[in-house]
Amino acid sequence: MKLFVTDLDGTLVEYNNITDENLEGVKKLNASGELLAVATGRAYNSCTFLKEKYGVKVDYLILLNGGLIIDKDGKVVHHKEISYNTVNSIITDVKSDDSVISVETGYTSYVVHGRYKEDIDWNGLEYENLENIKEKNLSLISLYYPESDIEEVEKICRFINEKYSDEVVAYRNTCFIDVVPKGCSKGEGVNYVNIDTKDTYAIGDSYNDIPMFKESGHSFTFETSEDGVKKEVKYIVNSVAEAIKNYCLK
């Protein structure tokens, strides 16, 4: 049995849209009987479109960068949380006038500071003050700095990893930072699926994908990815479909 793991945003989808080429590739993977996993910083509610809109069968959802893992039957395989006090402290430390900050329970996404300007269907995204959120089991903080350069965003990411190293890990993806509980990563998510490394294929475009590259025998990214990401993979491809067709199902 082979396992093909794909990142979501910027890899399999753009603004919740899958190209015809990638959809055909994923459907062929489904038909082959090999396993498909999606590894993303998103929550569950932001991934339901894969089945509802496109009919894609996902065997494992590795959500919140490994903070929540759900199998094809909807069973929670793993779920880890960040303490409410830590969430509040991090947000207080890093929020700014140009930042947009959201928190995730794993099933619901709340924007607690700023507002997204893009007219995008975020599948249940809610705007709420942090103190008014009744659910305290938070598993991810998403930080977005649309007006900042990458060097400044990277500086914020390092700050979080240094100050809160005992509790969380922060991963930068261009101008986004995902903060997850310590010990969580897409790589740990791949390990939970428990498929031999030589039969595991992983594709992504960002730094938070590197942990799953390291746990996979076959790793892929794109020419457009940052150099620090490209140096961590074995293959450069043009699409998810190419990785499936020319490597996984070859």
Side-chain angles (χ1 to χ4, degrees), residues 201 220 237 240-250:
Y201 300 72
F220 310 84
V237 294
V240 170
E242 181 183 338
I244 292 173
K245 178 182 177 181
N246 293 349
Y247 297 91
C248 186
L249 297 183
K250 186 175 180 180

Side-chain angles (χ1 to χ4, degrees), residues 6-14 16 38-40 42 46-47 49-50 186 203 209:
T6 177
D7 170 48
L8 206 54
D9 296 287
T11 300
L12 180 61
V13 307
E14 291 287 349
N16 285 3
V38 168
T40 177
R42 294 193 189 196
S46 297
C47 297
F49 76 97
L50 292 169
K186 292 183 179 182
I203 184 168
D209 297 313

